[in-house]
Amino acid sequence: MRFLDWRNGVMAGVMLLAMSFGAQAQQSTAPEAPEIPVGSNSTADHSKFAILQRDFTSGPEVTSACLTCHNEADDQMIHSIHFTWEFENPKTGQLLGKRHVINSFCGNVAGNEPRCTSCHAGYGWDDMSNPPPRQSTVGTGWDETLPRPTPASGQSNAVDCLACHDRSGQYTKAATLAGHPPLNPVPDGLKTITGAKAWAVDLKRAAQSVGPTGRDNCGNCHFYGGGGDNVKHGDLSSALYKPTKEVDVHMAADGLNFTCSTCHVADQHQIAGSRYDAMATDPHGTGKPGEPRSTATCESCHSNRPHPVSGVLTGIKGLKLNDHTNKVACQTCHIPEFARGGVATKTLWDWSTAGQLDNGQMIKREEFTQSDGKELHTYLSTKGDFEWGEDVVPYYSWFNGTIEYTLPETTIDPTKSVEINHIYGEAGDPDSRIWPFKRMIGRQAYDSGFNKLAYSHVWGPDTDTAFWTNFDWAKAIEAGMKAAGSEYSGEFGFVDTHMYWPTTHMVAPAEKALQCQDCHAEDGRLEGLDGFYMPGRAPLSMAGMLGILMVLASLLGVIGHGLLRKFSSKGKGESHE
Amino acid sequence: MSKRQVKIYPRFERIWHWTQVLLILTLLFTGMGLNGLHHIIPFGPAVIFHTIAALLLLVLWIFATFWLFTTGTWRQFVPTLDGLVDVIRFYAYGVFKGEKHPHKKVIWRKHNPLQILAYFGLKVAVFPLVWITGILYMSYNFWEHIPDAGFYLNIVANLHLLAAYIVAAFIIIHLYLLTIGHGFHAHVKPMITGYEEIDLSPEEEAYLIKDEPWRLKEPQS
């Protein structure tokens, strides 16, 4: 039995790999089972519950069934960022979340809802100007011949339980149905959120399989942010479905076999770990023995002094390394590069060149070869020019966890590269650490009359304004601004932007961590970070030069003296006597 | 007065000297690596060896200081003006004219006045600068919480570096001066065997013959 489970796992692994490495792979049958079992210590077997012994015709219908027992889950979920896509940063007061920010990838959700909200942890959110619906009826693309799901009184059946708890592996969300799964009959050309050809989801099987969240549940959305595998984060890719130890020492199946939620602990559906309000450091550390973890930081398991201090040589090394933890984030040394494991990340996205056509036909250039031989697009008429990177050396900066966004209403200076998000922190600040980041380079639309970032309406196969079907920026931006309810001057341009993504996944094994000299050297990795003393990077500093001059003067002195002795009339000089 | 081979560098002093040589060379080599001047040894091992050598040297210096004061040998290192000008004049001028070294080694002054001045400077200024800045540098994490600690660390580190360069310059000159007179070999030998030719007064000689005969070598025929 165990053998069969294992074989199923491998089978599913191969299929998921096929699915992730080749988004174009024509997969129309569902994956068999989750690649990495999460292991459950549950006291319930959901396949035996009477309420799940039926055929479901929609996602919300399944949720309604879940809520008959889990009667607080919907309330917990509708107040979570996974559902609201809204986050008020307590440090800056900024209202963030996908519902509000503009990034340097696909830009904005407003105006592109059913496509972007395909990854919403709910069903049927097709209008960003309103909060997500709590009682979902149906969404865009709903088969009107099917019966409409009916929520229990007062409960929010628009929450998608299966996205995070399906363990059958075959639950997915369609790419363009505002969060709904592809159901029978699957329309032609429909894709899933990972870019695979859609299959008909068996909701009954999914509902009976539920269990703790596995890495596939998280990854199917988070690995594909920005429109493709590893496009956005750089440290979150399909490589993490089944990574080697080299790629991720925590998640490797032959190692610790962590799921995402091993670190990202949850309490009543509030999940630890945030990019909007990051923890640059965790002074709480491991806390008291037996104390439950409430953060996703490295320190919450490894403590603030993680390096072993036993033995003479290793002890001195460990002590010295531990002395770094109040200035350097764990990630800085232990994630030597991101986008490891064979999946590249987008490092540059230039929207300004989008829209070029060849005799009315869309252009596609594939001039980046990934290490697995796959050709990645470097120009698309729909999206513009791209650059990609694999095994990318991060950008390093002081970071205290505070991030301030250039919001859609923020006035920008278009003569300079606009920071989509500003990371705070400085050398003298005890709460700041040197952190690794992916620094995304962008060039994107802005309102050149009001000097603010512009919304654009890119997706919408039926509209005559969507950029991806009409290739007309003027229309696309006007429609985007209108959809977002943002005042528009009517004039637009393109502005250089950059955006920071804290790197925290893909932790390498200890022996692959950075070595001292990677930073303690001239032109080391921290070149450009100033305001602190770091030995090894300036041998020719003022004191260094002074010292070298002193030694040279001594040498010249003794050589001169020696030569004088040699050639003076009386020869070598006499003895002491 | 008679010239006799007298043991003037006891075993501890010689062990002290050569251990110090080994440790200081280790410290200079690893330290230059840490400073970024060379990359012969990677930074991590350099930190480890530098730390170990520094701690050993501190222990050695504690012993040496104790020894200097308990044995009274510290008196050998008290600077004196007596004969200093002559020695300076010798190195600056006389040596080129084939003059004899003006210093006569006596049992209570085994170093010449310029030597004493140099060693004294090392003992009371350069070495303390090295170990005080070194200990401050090593213990940075204990005082980093004071305001502007980063600025002070910069000063500490640069003073440590300068002190190290002074030691390096000292070694160059120290080695060179060994070549003057009897020559390098003859000057190194006493620090190995302990014996050096000393002008003994009859009283000193009589005392040594009677009470410390092991310090005297039989006169060579």
Side-chain angles (χ1 to χ4, degrees):
Chain A
M1 192 59 202
R2 174 168 286 182
F3 172 71
L4 284 176
D5 284 349
W6 169 84
R7 204 173 54 176
N8 276 347
V10 171
M11 284 279 286
V14 170
M15 294 175 81
L16 265 171
L17 279 177
M19 185 171 128
S20 51
F21 281 112
Q24 278 82 6
Q26 293 300 299
Q27 186 185 341
S28 54
T29 51
E32 279 294 311
E35 179 177 13
I36 306 286
V38 289
S40 170
N41 51 8
S42 174
T43 53
D45 178 351
H46 282 83
S47 68
K48 293 177 182 162
F49 282 111
I51 198 164
L52 303 180
Q53 309 296 329
R54 48 168 284 212
D55 292 319
F56 294 95
T57 54
S58 76
E61 229 177 81
V62 177
T63 300
S64 294
C66 300
L67 296 178
T68 56
C69 291
H70 301 274
N71 54 19
E72 295 301 316
D74 60 330
D75 191 54
Q76 293 167 2
M77 269 305 296
I78 59 173
H79 297 108
S80 75
I81 190 173
H82 273 123
F83 193 79
T84 60
W85 284 16
E86 188 168 80
F87 179 80
E88 190 179 332
N89 187 329
K91 292 173 188 158
T92 61
Q94 285 192 319
L95 195 60
L96 305 173
K98 289 181 187 298
R99 200 179 156 199
H100 300 286
V101 300
I102 287 183
N103 69 21
S104 46
F105 292 88
C106 296
N108 51 282
V109 178
N112 307 298
E113 287 89 347
R115 175 73 184 90
C116 299
T117 52
S118 62
C119 264
H120 178 238
Y123 297 115
W125 193 9
D126 52 15
D127 181 4
M128 272 297 116
S129 57
N130 291 316
R134 293 182 177 184
Q135 275 84 32
S136 176
T137 46
V138 292
T140 308
W142 180 258
D143 182 349
E144 295 293 338
T145 61
L146 290 173
R148 294 183 169 238
T150 47
S153 72
Q155 287 191 310
S156 305
N157 70 342
V159 171
D160 184 349
C161 304
L162 291 175
C164 307
H165 294 290
D166 164 67
R167 300 309 303 139
S168 72
Q170 51 87 43
Y171 180 78
T172 186
K173 288 151 91 77
T176 48
L177 297 183
H180 284 285
L183 298 172
N184 218 5
V186 177
D188 274 349
L190 188 66
K191 289 187 172 176
T192 73
I193 44 177
T194 67
K197 188 177 179 216
W199 59 87
V201 164
D202 180 346
L203 288 172
K204 180 181 178 183
R205 239 183 87 209
Q208 292 186 356
S209 77
V210 292
T213 302
R215 60 181 72 179
D216 49 316
N217 299 111
C218 307
N220 291 342
C221 282
H222 289 278
F223 295 166
Y224 295 88
D229 197 356
N230 205 19
V231 162
K232 195 185 270 178
H233 289 265
D235 62 345
L236 287 177
S237 79
S238 66
L240 294 180
Y241 282 128
K242 203 177 170 74
T244 61
K245 274 187 190 168
E246 301 277 284
V247 174
D248 193 304
V249 74
H250 296 109
M251 295 179 79
D254 58 344
L256 296 161
N257 202 16
F258 280 13
T259 62
C260 307
S261 50
T262 313
C263 295
H264 291 274
V265 288
D267 182 13
Q268 299 176 52
H269 286 103
Q270 308 294 320
I271 295 167
S274 171
R275 205 168 41 73
Y276 290 126
D277 181 19
M279 288 184 76
T281 173
D282 182 0
H284 187 71
T286 52
K288 295 186 173 65
E291 186 179 325
R293 288 193 303 111
S294 58
T295 64
T297 60
C298 307
E299 294 101 312
S300 65
C301 278
H302 291 281
S303 89
N304 298 307
R305 303 192 70 76
H307 306 97
V309 293
S310 58
V312 176
L313 297 185
T314 51
I316 290 174
K317 188 179 175 189
L319 281 171
K320 200 61 233 171
L321 290 175
N322 285 341
D323 285 347
H324 284 70
T325 58
N326 60 348
K327 291 291 165 198
V328 182
C330 309
Q331 290 87 339
T332 295
C333 300
H334 290 279
I335 307 174
E337 288 90 25
F338 60 83
R340 300 201 313 279
V343 183
T345 186
K346 269 182 189 166
T347 54
L348 179 147
W349 185 333
D350 181 357
W351 277 102
S352 70
T353 57
Q356 296 164 15
L357 298 172
D358 181 15
N359 289 325
Q361 296 296 304
M362 284 200 274
I363 304 166
K364 181 179 190 179
R365 280 195 292 274
E366 295 182 329
E367 289 164 358
F368 182 89
T369 311
Q370 200 166 258
S371 61
D372 61 359
K374 189 180 167 192
E375 303 288 337
L376 303 182
H377 54 252
T378 48
Y379 181 81
L380 294 174
S381 297
T382 49
K383 296 181 176 180
D385 278 297
F386 301 106
E387 284 177 15
W388 297 81
E390 228 179 310
D391 302 326
V392 184
V393 172
Y395 168 90
Y396 299 98
S397 176
W398 290 98
F399 181 43
N400 64 10
T402 303
I403 297 183
E404 188 174 341
Y405 268 71
T406 297
L407 290 169
E409 62 269 20
T410 313
T411 304
I412 60 168
D413 176 1
T415 62
K416 294 182 191 144
S417 178
V418 175
E419 277 188 322
I420 296 292
N421 57 351
H422 177 74
I423 42 181
Y424 283 91
E426 55 186 280
D429 170 18
D431 296 327
S432 291
R433 301 288 180 275
I434 294 170
W435 263 75
F437 294 87
K438 172 184 170 182
R439 189 174 186 273
M440 177 69 188
I441 307 292
R443 188 165 172 77
Q444 58 197 92
Y446 79 108
D447 179 330
S448 56
F450 292 143
N451 281 343
K452 58 180 188 176
L453 294 172
Y455 292 88
S456 49
H457 167 51
V458 292
W459 188 87
D462 303 329
T463 68
D464 55 9
T465 48
F467 187 80
W468 288 350
T469 33
N470 300 288
F471 302 102
D472 184 336
W473 275 117
K475 282 186 187 170
I477 292 168
E478 194 183 349
M481 297 299 266
K482 194 177 164 198
S486 179
E487 203 184 351
Y488 180 42
S489 71
E491 296 160 38
F492 68 93
F494 290 89
V495 63
D496 288 326
T497 63
H498 56 278
M499 187 170 186
Y500 299 100
W501 294 78
T503 302
T504 192
H505 305 103
M506 295 190 172
V507 175
E511 64 272 15
K512 297 281 178 184
L514 288 190
Q515 296 296 303
C516 309
Q517 62 269 21
D518 288 318
C519 296
H520 289 276
E522 290 178 89
D523 304 321
R525 289 212 180 188
L526 301 187
E527 202 56 37
L529 282 188
D530 289 315
F532 60 99
Y533 178 78
M534 185 173 75
R537 69 168 174 179
L540 302 183
S541 66
M542 200 135 71
M545 287 299 283
L546 201 61
I548 290 168
L549 284 176
M550 200 155 52
V551 168
L552 283 180
S554 314
L555 269 175
L556 282 175
V558 302
I559 290 170
H561 198 270
L563 286 174
L564 266 178
R565 269 165 66 207
K566 196 172 168 66
F567 296 113
S568 64
S569 55
K570 302 284 180 176
K572 295 178 182 173
E574 268 302 326
S575 72
H576 288 202
E577 294 152 295
Chain B
M1 298 287 264
S2 62
K3 293 182 192 301
R4 293 291 299 269
Q5 287 284 329
V6 184
K7 179 170 266 187
I8 55 162
Y9 299 110
R11 181 175 293 142
F12 173 78
E13 196 169 17
R14 285 175 283 144
I15 291 175
W16 165 28
H17 178 265
W18 292 115
T19 313
Q20 187 167 288
V21 168
L22 191 73
L23 293 174
I24 286 180
L25 289 181
T26 306
L27 286 163
L28 277 176
F29 175 70
T30 53
M32 284 192 290
L34 294 175
N35 188 233
L37 219 53
H38 68 73
H39 303 287
I40 300 165
I41 178 171
F43 196 92
V47 170
I48 294 171
F49 290 126
H50 198 78
T51 308
I52 293 173
L55 293 174
L56 289 176
L57 188 57
L58 280 175
V59 171
L60 182 68
W61 279 345
I62 290 167
F63 274 100
T65 307
F66 181 76
W67 179 83
L68 280 169
F69 283 102
T70 52
T71 60
T73 314
W74 61 274
R75 289 190 183 85
Q76 296 269 9
F77 296 95
V78 177
T80 174
L81 289 173
D82 191 18
L84 180 63
V85 177
D86 292 338
V87 176
I88 293 172
R89 189 195 158 279
F90 169 75
Y91 286 124
Y93 178 75
V95 67
F96 306 121
K97 296 288 173 195
E99 289 177 11
K100 288 180 181 176
H101 199 289
H103 180 66
K104 301 274 179 269
K105 285 206 175 194
V106 290
I107 201 158
W108 49 272
R109 277 288 173 189
K110 51 193 180 188
H111 310 300
N112 76 51
L114 189 63
Q115 231 179 334
I116 289 171
L117 198 61
Y119 297 166
F120 183 77
L122 276 185
K123 283 184 202 306
V124 304
V126 181
F127 285 165
L129 187 61
V130 168
W131 63 254
I132 290 170
T133 55
I135 288 173
L136 282 173
Y137 202 156
M138 205 187 297
S139 63
Y140 170 67
N141 288 81
F142 290 105
W143 53 272
E144 67 182 327
H145 311 290
I146 65 168
D148 300 320
F151 172 72
Y152 295 124
L153 176 67
N154 202 339
I155 290 176
V156 164
N158 279 300
L159 285 177
H160 191 71
L161 182 66
L162 271 179
Y165 274 120
I166 294 173
V167 174
F170 165 80
I171 291 173
I172 292 167
I173 297 166
H174 185 59
L175 288 174
Y176 171 72
L177 291 179
L178 292 178
T179 66
I180 296 180
H182 297 290
F184 189 77
H185 180 74
H187 281 150
V188 173
K189 203 175 162 193
M191 199 41 88
I192 296 168
T193 64
Y195 290 96
E196 184 150 32
E197 195 166 73
I198 296 289
D199 284 332
L200 291 178
S201 67
E203 294 82 358
E204 286 169 341
E205 190 172 15
Y207 168 80
L208 288 173
I209 289 168
K210 177 149 195 310
D211 289 322
E212 296 180 10
W214 65 87
R215 291 184 66 185
L216 288 171
K217 262 189 187 169
E218 287 306 309
Q220 281 159 359
S221 49

